[in-house]
Amino acid sequence: MAFYSNMLLFEIMLVSLLAGVTLCGGNIPDSCGILTPPSNGVILHCSRGSRSNSRCIVKCKNGISTAQSIRICKCSERICLWEGFNPNCEVGQCELPIHKEGSIVLLEEWFGGFTALINLGFLPALDDGWSAVVIFEQPLGSNARITSLTSDVTSISPSKNSFTLSSKEGSPARNISTSNSLHSVFSVTEVETRTPSLGYVGIYNHRVTDVVCLNPPGPMKPIVKFSFSQTLCSNSNMSATSSPFTTSSRVVSPLVNESTGISSNQGLHVETTSATSLVDNNTSSMTTSHLSVATTISPRTFLMEIDGMQCKRQNDESYRTQPGWVDGGFSYFSGNALVEVTQSATKWLVVVVFQLPITSIQVWNTIIKGNQSNGLLWKFGPIGYNSQLSPGKLDVRFIAKMQTQSDNMAAGEVYFCSSYFGTGDPIWLPFEERTNASNAPINKQHEENSRVPVSLSTTTSSLGLTTTTHSDVRRLTPVPRLTNQRRCASSAPYGIRPRRSSQTVPRWKRSRDGSKYDFNELLHKSILFYEAQRSGSLPNNYNRITWRGNSMLKDGCSIAVDLSGGWFDAGDFVKFTFPMAAAVTNLAWGGIVYRKAYVHAGLLPRFLGSLKWPVTYLINAHTAQNELVGLVGDVRADHDNWSRPEDWNQDRPVFKITKDAPGTELAAETAAALASSSLVLKRTHPSVASQALRHAKQLFNFAVQYRGHYHEAIPQVNEFYHSYSGFNDELMWAAAWLFKATTQQRYLSYAERLFDSLGGTHITGSEFSWDNKMIGAQVLLANITGHDKYRNGVIRFMNKMLTEAPKTPSGMLWVREKGPCRYAANAALIGLLAGELEPPLPERRKYLKWAEKQIHLLVGDDGRSYVVGFGKDYPKRPHHRSSSCPRPPATCDWTTYHSNRPNHFILYGALVGGPSKMGQYDDDRENFHQSEVAIDFNAGFQSAVAGLKMLARRNRNK
């Protein structure tokens, strides 16, 4: 009997263990133990953990099922168990679509997102509504957001690679054209990967809630980019004559309004009747009738109203354009018309007045209400869902086709017209003499300097703009010889103060890495510092530094190049290309190796946007194949002034290196910056990355072919950024980066031969800085090749840093008086990158620990923080003009400089110069050796912080 009793007890214990039951001896039990969710399920919430009476919600993962259940921990005198059952989260057989020949057309692509159209041909009746499943070949990232203004997004897969669109409730036939074709637009934002290139679309003849478990039952199709010469046919096998989108004399383009076409079905099906844009049904190719360009336009006139409505002119920032392209002998460009809606409007128009005649326009979120004055004035109206505008911003994105090929994109002005305006502004139709581009004289010098050696055939237009030819389509290669005439006009402003100056409020995702300091906060604020350093026309839609406005808008006008962008070097307004390029390279290096740190911090889009800003400037600064701008601004005049950059009102000189006055260090470092940045940006900004790499190759050739010290070519930099280390370190550094970016062996061979010729096996550097790249090149070559001669150089450098290198009493590396913090941060970055080498270096752990110590000393372990706006006792008076200035219209001058009060605005994230060798820091903006900030200070620091974040995550997951 005892045997059977023991067996019964054993069975009870076994069953209880398997069921999540807790058995207790003499004590009253109060815990049910760990509740295990089902496969493909999660525990959403537990009211009391695993304790008695805890209620837990268990649900299936998104994309699997919507099922969920409640589990309750119940305890008796001797036993606790989870009551209830887990939901069934097994992946079942997904319902198959009735039609799977759909396609995806990419309408627009931007930083971190895109808009696309799903397109399906002839369908059966869909009176009960419809759903479409969209599947991409890759995940879009955990933070990706999918929206649609014309459909409901009813489910999204966990990896964000598939989702379901459904007809809107109560509108089953919406999106269905008269030819029973289905078209629906969706947008994806916060994409963490490249824009997908393959996709699948399947359609259901009723609304379904969740079919993202579906695997594509057939091959995925390429996602096609929309162009003017493209008809959106739903079936690639459908003949042109049977296409529901074409007739013998017109193009029918879903969701695209072209010329003066008026939409039907809430603007989702548009008939185009432009006489200049016809489709030949036999060939499905675009044919274009010849248009002559009027040599003059009638004298300047104005309109006081449009369609019975008064109109308000929007500010100059409301009209924006992107680089254009040439196709079929005509020029195209894309742009935005941004409108500020101040109160609800039911009857409204957006009017754009162009300075050059426009033949046709495509838009997506409005419909075209007509044009006049030979294509100078275009009107856009509501499309159904936005027929009633709420206060906020309206962004009308468009693609414009010009009447002829031109190297200039048409400037423009934006007006918002509404029935609620009692008075308005006159709408001016500008008078400007027109010249046919084909009759313009050829600029021989420009043609010679701007020719680009690429594998595809290249030609130079009559205005000297290089084009790359592939088949019959030519895309403009940006050689920024031409400048915006309005920007450089004598009446145009040099700068524009911000409308409302207010303190930036940082908002970041709190770190859960278990680190001593919040590395997410440090990364977030360092990026804010770089945003505060921006020169040029700042974007209204993401300018988080509201006390900064547009500045130095006329930089480069003297040489007909737009050099208004880029970063100010430090607390002044000068733009030195050499340290800017060095900062870009170090930031890009961190972005390559520690990209996931930015992803985990939720900062990848901000980081990429921050990096793209100076990259665009460096591309523009490369004004010809063997020319590069090295300095913008008169350093003396700048340093004699203490004011806001927006208040600067003088022309600024531009200094270049050329083949007659070469600057090898400058050309090579800029090549390294652009090559490394191309690796960071190629997933999200392939066009910018491609341009950057092309310019990097040209600049490296320039640096190799024409040797000379850049400070001799531009003596104005001598006092500030004299190249003491020579140019061989930059040449080796640039060659290594070009190998990383291209995998072409010739670059690696060049770097290795140069290393050997310099006796590199015996070189031990003492710093890593904007000037000296030797140790950076050694780490990079060690990573590429794994050769001991480079690895040993890294070991020697790190051993020197840990032992004999000078330090403050607290142990912070101290290389020299001016800006010691940057050298400590840069060396910490080298230590972290040394820790990434494989196989691991013998003292890897020691290097990582030392690097961590250096960064911790900079942010708080030294008894104070050297990062503005972070930690305890951070610097309040950095040597920085714009942040020290009070809100306009208050005066900012040398009285402000000498004042003992803290800077009026917190310069979040800026790393100051740092303490004396004895560890003393003077928080005084007049002590610029210690209190000045600079773009190269933060570069190595930010990348090192990203490295420490990744290190903390690895340690946490061990």
Side-chain angles (χ1 to χ4, degrees):
M1 188 67 182
F3 170 78
Y4 289 108
S5 298
N6 290 338
M7 285 296 294
L8 180 60
L9 179 60
F10 174 76
E11 289 183 18
I12 293 174
M13 292 177 64
L14 181 60
V15 172
S16 300
L17 179 63
L18 293 176
V21 173
T22 301
L23 292 176
C24 301
N27 298 326
I28 298 176
D30 65 350
S31 173
C32 288
I34 297 174
L35 176 62
T36 303
S39 176
N40 298 317
V42 294
I43 299 173
L44 195 62
H45 172 70
C46 287
S47 61
R48 303 185 71 233
S50 60
R51 291 174 293 172
S52 177
N53 295 321
S54 178
R55 293 172 58 87
C56 294
I57 302 174
V58 185
K59 69 180 293 289
C60 299
K61 292 180 180 177
N62 186 24
I64 302 300
S65 170
T66 57
Q68 68 178 38
S69 64
I70 303 294
R71 303 292 304 275
I72 303 174
C73 177
K74 288 293 187 180
C75 295
S76 62
E77 292 184 359
R78 293 185 55 83
I79 191 170
C80 290
L81 57 84
W82 288 104
E83 287 189 350
F85 299 93
N86 284 335
N88 181 8
C89 298
E90 296 300 319
V91 178
Q93 178 66 40
C94 264
E95 179 183 355
L96 293 177
I98 63 166
H99 184 98
K100 52 180 183 292
E101 294 299 324
S103 61
I104 302 174
V105 180
L106 185 65
L107 298 178
E108 189 175 9
E109 186 178 8
W110 63 90
F111 168 67
F114 61 92
T115 295
L117 172 88
I118 63 168
N119 181 41
L120 294 106
F122 184 81
L123 298 169
L126 299 174
D127 297 334
D128 295 329
W130 57 268
S131 290
V133 60
V134 180
I135 307 175
F136 296 122
E137 88 278 15
Q138 63 178 32
L140 302 177
S142 59
N143 294 320
R145 297 179 59 197
I146 301 165
T147 57
S148 175
L149 293 172
T150 58
S151 312
D152 289 335
V153 181
T154 49
S155 64
I156 304 173
S157 68
S159 61
K160 306 293 178 70
N161 75 315
S162 63
F163 57 93
T164 309
L165 295 176
S166 299
S167 56
K168 285 189 172 291
E169 291 282 3
S171 303
R174 188 172 183 176
N175 306 85
I176 310 300
S177 69
T178 54
S179 59
N180 258 32
S181 299
L182 172 66
H183 320 293
S184 185
V185 171
F186 64 90
S187 294
V188 186
T189 57
E190 299 185 40
V191 178
E192 296 174 1
T193 60
R194 63 174 175 82
T195 301
S197 58
L198 298 173
Y200 167 86
V201 179
I203 188 73
Y204 299 83
N205 59 357
H206 58 279
R207 280 176 57 92
V208 296
T209 57
D210 197 346
V211 287
V212 294
C213 56
L214 181 73
N215 289 318
M220 291 191 176
K221 294 182 179 181
I223 296 175
V224 181
K225 290 188 176 181
F226 181 76
S227 67
F228 275 90
S229 58
Q230 175 186 351
T231 300
L232 298 178
C233 294
S234 62
N235 190 332
S236 59
N237 298 322
M238 187 182 296
S239 66
T241 56
S242 64
S243 168
F245 301 113
T246 60
T247 68
S248 61
S249 62
R250 67 191 181 192
V251 182
V252 180
S253 303
L255 270 140
V256 178
N257 306 311
E258 187 175 344
S259 187
T260 58
I262 306 300
S263 69
S264 62
N265 294 326
Q266 289 105 359
L268 299 175
H269 186 74
V270 181
E271 295 188 355
T272 302
T273 57
S274 170
T276 63
S277 178
L278 306 177
V279 169
D280 184 336
N281 282 343
N282 296 323
T283 61
S284 293
S285 63
M286 181 70 73
T287 61
T288 310
S289 62
H290 175 73
L291 286 175
S292 60
V293 178
T295 56
T296 60
I297 293 176
S298 57
R300 190 166 177 174
T301 60
F302 64 87
L303 304 172
M304 286 308 299
E305 63 178 36
I306 293 286
D307 294 356
M309 291 181 281
Q310 298 288 326
C311 305
K312 297 285 188 180
R313 184 183 181 277
Q314 306 297 293
N315 62 40
D316 290 340
E317 296 299 313
S318 296
Y319 179 84
R320 304 175 183 175
T321 58
Q322 288 78 46
W325 63 95
V326 174
D327 191 356
F330 287 86
S331 292
Y332 302 82
F333 65 93
S334 61
N336 303 68
L338 302 172
V339 168
E340 186 77 34
V341 182
T342 56
Q343 64 185 81
S344 296
T346 54
K347 184 181 179 183
W348 58 268
L349 287 174
V350 174
V351 173
V352 180
V353 178
F354 296 95
Q355 286 192 333
L356 294 172
I358 301 300
T359 299
S360 60
I361 284 184
Q362 295 177 333
V363 290
W364 288 272
N365 61 344
T366 54
I367 61 173
I368 296 169
K369 290 291 191 179
N371 74 85
Q372 59 195 70
S373 299
N374 193 29
L376 287 177
L377 184 149
W378 287 77
K379 300 180 291 184
F380 309 99
I383 196 172
Y385 70 87
N386 56 12
S387 58
Q388 179 166 345
L389 288 180
S390 300
K393 291 185 181 296
L394 173 64
D395 183 356
V396 179
R397 294 172 175 167
F398 63 85
I399 297 177
K401 176 183 178 183
M402 300 171 67
Q403 282 192 4
T404 187
Q405 182 175 334
S406 172
D407 294 335
N408 280 325
M409 291 175 290
E413 294 180 336
V414 179
Y415 295 82
F416 182 57
C417 310
S418 176
S419 56
Y420 68 68
F421 288 141
T423 60
D425 300 320
I427 299 177
W428 288 94
L429 297 176
F431 166 75
E432 184 177 12
E433 185 154 325
R434 308 293 184 196
T435 304
N436 193 322
S438 63
N439 297 326
I442 297 176
N443 184 334
K444 293 291 186 182
Q445 182 64 37
H446 181 191
E447 180 182 21
E448 177 64 25
N449 288 340
S450 62
R451 203 178 296 276
V452 182
V454 292
S455 57
L456 301 176
S457 62
T458 58
T459 59
T460 305
S461 72
S462 59
L463 290 180
L465 190 64
T466 303
T467 61
T468 302
T469 303
H470 180 73
S471 184
D472 59 343
V473 179
R474 292 187 297 146
R475 204 166 271 283
L476 299 181
T477 300
V479 179
R481 274 288 180 179
L482 301 171
T483 188
N484 186 330
Q485 294 179 357
R486 174 177 290 185
R487 179 179 70 91
C488 297
S490 59
S491 59
Y494 288 87
I496 302 172
R497 289 177 174 178
R499 291 181 178 178
R500 293 177 296 274
S501 294
S502 59
Q503 180 59 62
T504 301
V505 180
R507 294 182 177 89
W508 67 93
K509 175 183 174 183
R510 304 289 176 179
S511 174
R512 297 182 179 178
D513 301 331
S515 53
K516 182 176 181 179
Y517 296 99
D518 191 332
F519 294 134
N520 289 4
E521 181 182 358
L522 283 166
L523 289 173
H524 171 77
K525 291 181 175 178
S526 183
I527 293 171
L528 285 178
F529 163 68
Y530 282 111
E531 292 181 14
Q533 293 300 102
R534 290 183 300 188
S535 168
S537 180
L538 304 183
N540 287 333
N541 57 336
Y542 63 92
N543 180 22
R544 298 184 292 178
I545 314 299
T546 56
W547 44 270
R548 281 295 325 281
N550 299 342
S551 61
M552 310 305 169
L553 297 176
K554 295 190 177 183
D555 279 0
C557 286
S558 60
I559 61 169
V561 176
D562 187 356
L563 297 174
S564 60
W567 284 331
F568 296 134
D569 176 61
D572 50 19
F573 312 139
V574 186
K575 286 183 272 194
F576 292 100
T577 305
F578 193 34
M580 188 190 304
V584 168
T585 312
N586 278 348
L587 287 167
W589 201 359
I592 294 166
V593 181
Y594 305 121
R595 188 185 187 95
K596 288 185 178 179
Y598 291 100
V599 173
H600 292 313
L603 293 170
L604 182 62
R606 292 290 186 184
F607 168 66
L608 296 176
S610 174
L611 188 68
K612 183 173 172 282
W613 190 270
V615 166
T616 303
Y617 174 84
L618 295 177
I619 290 173
N620 286 359
H622 185 208
T623 53
Q625 189 166 332
N626 295 319
E627 286 183 9
L628 177 64
V629 173
L631 172 64
V632 176
D634 182 331
V635 185
R636 286 299 166 203
D638 184 285
H639 288 188
D640 286 343
N641 179 281
W642 192 273
S643 65
R644 306 176 184 89
E646 297 82 8
D647 293 347
W648 188 275
N649 59 4
Q650 303 174 37
D651 292 336
R652 306 214 301 172
V654 175
F655 303 91
K656 296 190 291 186
I657 57 171
T658 65
K659 62 182 181 180
D660 297 320
T664 303
E665 303 97 334
L666 176 59
E669 181 56 51
T670 308
L674 293 175
S676 57
S677 296
S678 73
L679 290 167
V680 181
L681 297 171
K682 66 180 181 180
R683 297 189 207 174
T684 53
H685 291 75
S687 177
V688 176
S690 177
Q691 291 180 45
L693 186 56
R694 187 184 69 250
H695 284 273
K697 294 175 182 178
Q698 292 182 16
L699 284 165
F700 182 75
N701 292 340
F702 176 30
V704 171
Q705 187 174 358
Y706 299 99
R707 303 292 182 93
H709 294 297
Y710 100 103
H711 53 261
E712 294 176 356
I714 308 176
Q716 290 82 358
V717 305
N718 260 310
E719 185 180 345
F720 309 97
Y721 291 103
H722 180 103
S723 176
Y724 294 97
S725 67
F727 50 64
N728 284 317
D729 55 330
E730 277 85 18
L731 286 171
M732 190 189 316
W733 176 242
W737 276 117
L738 278 163
F739 173 77
K740 290 279 284 187
T742 66
T743 68
Q744 294 179 12
Q745 185 63 35
R746 61 192 179 99
Y747 292 115
L748 180 57
S749 298
Y750 182 93
E752 294 202 280
R753 287 197 305 270
L754 183 57
F755 180 84
D756 293 337
S757 68
L758 295 173
T761 54
H762 305 291
I763 295 176
T764 303
S766 58
E767 67 181 62
F768 178 50
S769 66
W770 60 266
D771 179 28
N772 196 324
K773 320 299 189 320
M774 179 59 73
I775 183 58
Q778 287 174 299
V779 173
L780 197 56
L781 290 169
N783 169 261
I784 293 169
T785 68
H787 293 169
D788 285 342
K789 61 181 178 181
Y790 308 121
R791 289 166 59 87
N792 291 338
V794 176
I795 291 171
R796 291 196 303 272
F797 176 85
M798 288 308 304
N799 288 343
K800 183 175 182 178
M801 293 297 101
L802 268 64
T803 56
E804 61 189 78
K807 300 177 181 67
T808 65
S810 61
M812 190 187 94
L813 180 69
W814 196 93
V815 175
R816 57 179 56 90
E817 181 184 16
K818 187 174 181 181
C821 284
R822 70 174 140 189
Y823 298 104
N826 290 347
L829 174 61
I830 294 297
L832 289 164
L833 292 168
E836 300 288 338
L837 295 178
E838 293 292 341
L841 297 177
E843 302 289 343
R844 173 182 177 273
R845 292 180 182 275
K846 188 183 293 184
Y847 302 155
L848 294 176
K849 196 67 179 175
W850 182 84
E852 181 184 61
K853 177 181 179 180
Q854 294 303 303
I855 298 301
H856 282 188
L857 285 168
L858 296 180
V859 301
D861 278 12
D862 207 19
R864 65 169 307 130
S865 170
Y866 297 106
V867 178
V868 178
F870 179 88
K872 63 178 181 180
D873 196 20
Y874 62 79
K876 308 296 193 304
R877 302 167 187 83
H879 183 93
H880 188 263
R881 286 165 172 75
S882 57
S883 65
S884 75
C885 291
R887 291 180 176 85
T891 301
C892 183
D893 54 20
W894 288 106
T895 302
T896 309
Y897 169 76
H898 292 296
S899 169
N900 191 44
R901 77 176 307 282
N903 286 18
H904 283 268
F905 298 103
I906 301 173
L907 188 64
Y908 282 107
L911 180 68
V912 297
S916 68
K917 191 173 182 180
M918 297 307 296
Q920 298 169 335
Y921 178 76
D922 185 12
D923 188 12
D924 182 355
R925 71 177 63 89
E926 296 188 39
N927 185 353
F928 64 89
H929 281 161
Q930 294 192 349
S931 65
E932 188 159 31
V933 299
I935 54 177
D936 75 290
F937 289 15
N938 267 71
F941 170 74
Q942 182 174 311
S943 290
V945 169
L948 286 178
K949 176 176 175 59
M950 289 308 300
L951 182 63
R953 288 184 65 84
R954 291 170 193 161
N955 291 337
R956 185 194 67 178
N957 294 331
K958 283 183 178 179

